[in-house]
Amino acid sequence: MSTTAVNTFSIGFRENQYNESDYARKVAAFLKTSHHEFIVSHNDAMELVDKITDVYDEPFADSSAIPTMLVSKLAKKHVTVTLSGEGGDELFFGYGSHKWAKRLNNPLIYFSKDILRFVLKNMSNNSYKRASKLFEFSEKSDLPAHIFSQEQYLFSHGDLKELLTDSSRLSKFQWPFPEKELSRKIDPMEKQALFDMIYYLPGDLLTKVDRASMAYSLETRVPYLDHRLVEVALNISPDLKYKNGISKYILKEILYQYVPKSYFDRPKQGFAIPLVKWLKYELRYLIEDILKPEIITQYNIVKTEEVEELKKRFFAGEDFLFNRLWLLIVLHKWLLKYG
């Protein structure tokens, strides 16, 4: 235990749907930390849109890079080393994708997937339309990558075949661990979590935090990824990670020994920004300037007509397409600078 107040940092948003700063402040007060917070506006995001291209040195399309850079900038004013929680969700079933892996491997749901997809796709509610895509897969071997793409609001394999001007190099996901090479059988939730550990964690989350913190000369460490903890966590029974509908069950039970359970009795929120609203209004210029037909045609990576259709559907109310547009914006913004 520290003998002095530990510094804690959080980012909040003016849009209440994305703002968790009140909860962070409450926990900080209970733990008596020296708490610092920064409320982000679209103007703060606009200042970083150009900087992201240089900081990440590649087309990095995770929009949470923006608040990660801002919280790193805030932390650097007070400390030189920080701790981050990457790995907790992957090791203890913290994502919605892990629940979907359990559902879609249910034989009854699997054999009804085409009917479910048709019904959900033709409903007016955006949440149902988005969910319909989760049932749009052909084989169970495709599931980990497919579920991940839809949980992240990204393009599915089928979408990419339609989007790319040359889809001949597009290959299907192959699970890297044949069952015969494993010491025991893993269940669907474990398989989905392993996918996150192998691909999402190093390719996105750790890259995001590492480069965002380094941009402000801040060192960030990830205690959940100590190899000893990883080895133990991977072999804990899945029933202790997801129990009675509760994700990260055993981790939360340990947490409640130190912080009141009532502080966390609410739905999980990701480290997201109000990108839907910003792309429709304050950052709309990115769609209009970066995704205009002449630029899409110039680089000829994706089909102009498909991009135009995405834009049309998004502005007509299909909000769940926002991340696909953001991905295309980041890609073409990078191409305009380095391509």
Side-chain angles (χ1 to χ4, degrees), residues 109-162:
I109 292 178
Y110 177 75
F111 289 113
S112 306
K113 61 185 175 65
D114 293 334
I115 296 172
L116 290 167
R117 178 176 61 83
F118 177 80
V119 171
L120 291 170
K121 186 177 182 180
N122 288 282
M123 296 182 79
S124 58
N125 185 287
N126 270 338
S127 296
Y128 292 130
K129 283 186 177 181
R130 179 198 166 208
S132 73
K133 295 290 290 185
L134 280 154
F135 297 93
E136 195 175 287
F137 65 95
S138 55
E139 301 173 15
K140 282 190 176 180
S141 59
D142 301 334
L143 269 176
H146 175 71
I147 292 172
F148 173 80
S149 73
Q150 296 315 295
E151 271 291 298
Q152 297 293 323
Y153 295 77
L154 299 173
F155 296 101
S156 68
H157 184 86
D159 294 329
L160 289 172
K161 287 179 71 174
E162 295 296 320

Side-chain angles (χ1 to χ4, degrees), residues 1 17 195 316:
M1 298 290 290
Q17 181 184 353
F195 175 92

Side-chain angles (χ1 to χ4, degrees), residues 5-8 24 27-36:
V6 174
N7 284 285
T8 54
V27 173
F30 181 84
L31 295 174
K32 296 181 172 59
T33 70
S34 177
H35 191 60
H36 313 272

Side-chain angles (χ1 to χ4, degrees), residues 67-325:
T68 305
M69 289 176 67
L70 289 170
V71 77
S72 296
K73 183 179 180 181
L74 171 64
K76 180 58 181 178
K77 295 177 180 178
H78 305 275
V79 297
T80 56
V81 180
T82 57
L83 300 180
S84 184
E86 274 68 33
D89 287 312
E90 291 76 13
L91 290 170
F92 296 96
F93 299 172
Y95 295 134
S97 59
H98 304 147
K99 298 177 186 178
W100 273 106
K102 185 180 181 71
R103 294 184 193 117
L104 294 177
N105 277 277
N106 180 313
L108 182 61
I109 292 178
Y110 177 75
F111 289 113
S112 306
K113 61 185 175 65
D114 293 334
I115 296 172
L116 290 167
R117 178 176 61 83
F118 177 80
V119 171
L120 291 170
K121 186 177 182 180
N122 288 282
M123 296 182 79
S124 58
N125 185 287
N126 270 338
S127 296
Y128 292 130
K129 283 186 177 181
R130 179 198 166 208
S132 73
K133 295 290 290 185
L134 280 154
F135 297 93
E136 195 175 287
F137 65 95
S138 55
E139 301 173 15
K140 282 190 176 180
S141 59
D142 301 334
L143 269 176
H146 175 71
I147 292 172
F148 173 80
S149 73
Q150 296 315 295
E151 271 291 298
Q152 297 293 323
Y153 295 77
L154 299 173
F155 296 101
S156 68
H157 184 86
D159 294 329
L160 289 172
K161 287 179 71 174
E162 295 296 320
L163 177 71
L164 297 172
T165 54
D166 180 10
S167 61
S168 62
R169 296 182 181 181
L170 188 62
S171 59
K172 281 201 170 185
F173 167 74
Q174 297 293 320
W175 181 247
F177 301 119
E179 285 195 18
K180 62 182 180 181
E181 295 181 9
L182 299 174
S183 60
R184 64 176 175 82
K185 185 177 178 62
I186 60 174
D187 77 2
M189 295 184 84
E190 285 184 294
K191 190 171 185 177
Q192 192 69 40
L194 275 174
F195 175 92
D196 295 329
M197 288 287 291
I198 298 165
Y199 299 103
Y200 184 37
L201 192 59
D204 184 334
L205 300 179
L206 295 178
T207 298
K208 174 185 70 180
V209 173
D210 188 49
R211 297 188 191 173
S213 57
M214 285 196 300
Y216 298 97
S217 301
L218 180 72
E219 182 180 344
T220 300
R221 298 174 183 172
V222 281
Y224 277 120
L225 296 181
D226 181 287
H227 70 92
R228 293 158 295 192
L229 178 56
V230 171
E231 289 169 3
V232 171
L234 287 177
N235 289 290
I236 289 175
S237 170
D239 294 334
L240 289 175
K241 298 179 182 182
Y242 183 74
K243 186 174 182 178
N244 300 326
I246 300 173
S247 299
K248 296 195 286 190
Y249 177 80
I250 190 171
L251 205 59
K252 289 177 179 177
E253 289 301 306
I254 295 170
L255 172 66
Y256 300 152
Q257 297 176 31
Y258 300 94
V259 184
K261 183 177 180 179
S262 59
Y263 285 19
F264 302 93
D265 189 17
R266 56 193 172 87
K268 174 184 174 63
Q269 286 183 239
F271 197 31
I273 61 175
L275 195 54
V276 172
K277 174 181 175 292
W278 289 355
L279 284 177
K280 284 192 173 183
Y281 301 102
E282 295 91 345
L283 299 181
R284 182 170 178 149
Y285 75 93
L286 290 172
I287 295 177
E288 295 173 343
D289 295 349
I290 307 297
L291 298 186
K292 53 188 177 185
E294 50 266 43
I295 291 179
I296 303 300
T297 303
Q298 176 185 348
Y299 293 103
N300 198 36
I301 294 174
V302 294
K303 298 172 185 174
T304 305
E305 62 271 22
E306 292 292 330
V307 177
E308 289 299 300
E309 180 65 17
L310 269 177
K311 289 157 62 175
K312 179 181 176 182
R313 289 170 59 195
F314 176 68
F315 287 118
E318 294 188 39
D319 291 354
F320 58 90
L321 299 174
F322 75 99
N323 224 20
R324 302 182 193 184
L325 288 171

